[in-house]
């Protein structure tokens, strides 16, 4: 893939600033993150890049932005006294902040690509409109769920010694739906059959039915998720796939993403070369739409395609914790303080 040679320049008025960062090995670091760009935070393992972003920037943003910060990680509760010495500025420029990680899409047992991206509600609305029934009939979480297996499609049998086996529910034949829900068709398909469709198959099915559903499905296909089933359960979706579904979910939304900030921590971990390339394009697309993407990375292809790099180092652990160099990849290449500069493409 071609390496970026023209960098988007930062509007000096719009900076996110961090002062007095001292968690873990950070040496009372200050950093300026220009908004509206693809910003890479680089450095060797343990140099402090995750301490700066995941452990300082993200909790400080949570504290300031409250519910304008979207994350699947609800474990980290932030109180007002968290990182009391660290100051953050510039958050007034942020419309919404989204953490795009490799954690599972949603926590509910019925979470799937259709629910996460919001198209499931739209599909149920189509069924409800056509049949005149309650939309709740078309989900296993509500009226439509099998009474025996509670919508799971399987029944857990205790076989002794604390062991269980799962057997298909005979009442609903493993569908999780009650018969009434299954008997209602949308263009010859019931709700269960639609959830079994792959994204690519569903694109053909919804083409002339609903523009919003179609746009989200096409975005999922564009991030390489054409093969995934709409109702595919979370445990069978890998971390890399979950991350791309989250990205697609943001890219496929109607309305402007201008002013949004997306934070990705080592997103290329576990991805193939072509998937990494695809990810770079998607991050660039978000930036082209007026968003900021902040990415901690060691991958040189990703870093070489950033508009601005903050390099942490020089070493790991007690040898790290400083900001070594900042600037465009081209500037880092000629900056004698930079270590990664000489390796950038
Ligand atoms: Zn059942």
């Amino acid at each position: 893939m071609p390496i970026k040679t023209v960098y988007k320049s930062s509007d000096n008025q719009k900076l996110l600033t961090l002062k007095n960062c001292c968690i873990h090995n950070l040496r009372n670091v200050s950093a300026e993150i220009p908004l509206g760009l693809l910003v890479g935070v680089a450095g060797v393992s343990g140099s402090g890049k995750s301490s700066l972003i995941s452990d300082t920037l993200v909790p400080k943003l949570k504290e300031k932005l409250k519910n304008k910060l979207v994350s699947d990680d609800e474990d980290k509760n932030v109180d007002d006294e968290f990182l009391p010495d660290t100051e953050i500025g510039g958050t007034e420029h942020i419309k919404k902040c989204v953490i795009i990680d490799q954690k599972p899409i949603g926590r509910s047992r019925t979470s799937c690509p259709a629910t996460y991206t919001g198209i499931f509600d739209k599909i149920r609305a189509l069924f409800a409109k056509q049949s005149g029934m309650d939309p709740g009939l078309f989900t296993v979480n509500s009226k439509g769920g099998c009474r025996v297996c509670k919508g799971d499609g399987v029944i857990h049998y205790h076989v002794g010694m604390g062991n269980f086996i799962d057997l298909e529910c005979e009442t609903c034949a493993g569908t999780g739906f009650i018969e009434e829900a299954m008997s209602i068709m949308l263009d010859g398909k019931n709700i269960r059959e639609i959830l079994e469709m792959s994204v690519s198959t569903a694109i053909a099915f919804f083409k002339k039915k609903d523009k919003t559903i179609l746009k989200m499905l096409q975005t999922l296909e564009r991030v390489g998720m054409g093969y995934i089933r709409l109702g595919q359960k979370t445990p069978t979706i890998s971390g890399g796939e979950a991350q791309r579904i989250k990205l697609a979910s943001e890219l496929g939304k109607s309305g402007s993403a201008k002013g949004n900030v997306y934070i990705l921590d080592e997103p290329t971990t576990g991805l193939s070369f072509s998937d990494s390339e695809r990810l770079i394009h998607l991050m660039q697309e978000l930036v082209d739409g007026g968003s900021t993407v902040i990415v901690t990375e060691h991958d040189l292809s990703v870093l070489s395609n950033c508009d601005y790099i903050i390099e942490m180092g020089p070493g790991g652990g007690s040898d790290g914790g400083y900001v070594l160099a900042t600037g465009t990849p081209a500037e880092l290449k000629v900056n004698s303080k930079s270590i990664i500069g000489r390796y950038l493409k």
Side-chain angles (χ1 to χ4, degrees):
M1 86 179 266
I3 295 296
K4 190 181 272 187
T5 50
V6 180
Y7 308 108
K8 211 174 160 189
S9 62
S10 57
D11 175 352
N12 278 334
Q13 302 301 312
K14 291 191 177 169
L15 288 172
L16 204 51
T17 58
L18 281 170
K19 278 184 193 155
N20 308 328
C21 305
C22 39
I23 198 168
H24 306 319
N25 67 341
L26 296 179
R27 313 294 179 103
N28 208 15
V29 158
S30 292
E32 288 186 338
I33 301 168
L35 294 171
L37 309 185
L38 178 48
V39 179
V41 183
V44 296
S45 181
S47 60
K49 54 187 190 297
S50 288
S51 297
L52 185 67
I53 302 304
S54 300
D55 300 332
T56 304
L57 178 64
V58 171
K60 290 308 275 188
L61 284 175
K62 268 186 190 172
E63 189 185 306
K64 288 273 177 196
L65 299 174
K66 305 232 158 48
N67 56 7
K68 284 198 284 176
L69 186 136
V70 183
S71 164
D72 289 316
D73 184 5
E74 286 152 14
D75 298 333
K76 284 185 185 168
N77 285 318
V78 180
D79 58 51
D80 292 333
E81 290 301 308
F82 196 67
L83 304 174
D85 299 326
T86 302
E87 292 169 36
I88 186 167
T91 53
E92 69 275 14
H93 303 303
I94 301 176
K95 194 168 78 181
K96 183 178 84 169
C97 177
V98 186
I99 314 295
I100 297 186
D101 53 26
Q102 297 199 356
K103 295 201 176 86
I105 49 165
R107 294 190 160 189
S108 142
R109 66 194 164 87
T110 48
S111 297
C112 63
T115 56
Y116 189 85
T117 56
I119 59 174
F120 189 51
D121 290 342
K122 302 249 177 329
I123 294 171
R124 290 194 293 129
L126 286 180
F127 270 99
K129 194 177 160 197
Q130 169 156 322
S131 63
M133 306 298 277
D134 184 321
L137 182 61
F138 306 101
T139 169
V140 296
N141 285 331
S142 179
K143 286 182 187 165
C146 168
R147 308 291 181 263
V148 177
C149 64
K150 308 241 173 350
D152 278 343
V154 291
I155 294 175
H156 317 288
Y157 288 98
H158 188 222
V159 291
M161 310 289 283
N163 294 315
F164 289 85
I165 54 163
D166 287 350
L167 289 180
E168 189 178 284
C169 172
E170 287 177 7
T171 310
C172 63
T175 66
F177 283 100
I178 57 170
E179 239 179 275
E180 189 188 3
M182 301 272 286
S183 68
I184 296 167
M185 302 287 169
L186 184 70
D187 210 1
K189 301 284 178 193
N190 67 27
I191 184 70
R192 164 80 176 177
E193 287 166 329
I194 287 174
L195 288 173
E196 285 295 315
M197 286 180 184
S198 71
V199 165
S200 301
T201 307
I203 285 175
F205 184 79
F206 284 103
K207 202 150 224 163
K208 289 186 179 136
K209 290 186 185 66
D210 187 288
K211 278 189 187 142
T212 318
I213 296 174
L214 185 65
K215 187 184 177 198
M216 187 58 81
L217 290 170
Q218 285 170 333
T219 312
L220 280 165
E221 190 172 58
R222 213 151 47 81
V223 304
M225 291 287 102
Y227 60 87
I228 216 144
R229 284 177 292 108
L230 301 194
Q232 194 160 327
K233 297 274 173 66
T234 296
T236 65
I237 295 172
S238 76
E241 287 170 337
Q243 188 174 43
R244 275 185 284 161
I245 292 167
K246 290 176 191 188
L247 264 176
S249 173
E250 287 301 316
L251 286 164
K253 272 183 189 148
S254 319
S256 170
K258 201 167 186 212
N260 288 354
V261 171
Y262 298 94
I263 299 178
L264 296 91
D265 189 13
E266 306 262 356
T268 61
T269 303
L271 295 192
S272 69
F273 181 72
S274 60
D275 282 346
S276 294
E277 262 192 9
R278 215 195 286 261
L279 191 73
I280 294 170
H281 283 296
L282 293 170
M283 293 192 292
Q284 186 60 47
E285 202 176 309
L286 286 167
V287 171
D288 291 342
S291 302
T292 306
V293 175
I294 302 169
V295 55
T296 59
E297 255 306 342
H298 56 267
D299 183 284
L300 292 167
S301 311
V302 175
L303 292 171
S304 300
N305 279 291
C306 286
D307 298 304
Y308 188 86
I309 295 175
I310 298 170
E311 182 180 353
M312 303 296 294
S318 57
D319 295 326
Y322 296 97
V323 174
L324 280 191
T326 57
T328 65
E331 284 166 351
L332 256 60
K333 277 190 203 175
V334 294
N335 183 337
S336 59
K337 287 183 186 151
S338 170
I339 295 170
I340 58 154
R342 73 195 80 150
Y343 302 109
L344 291 171
K345 292 173 184 173

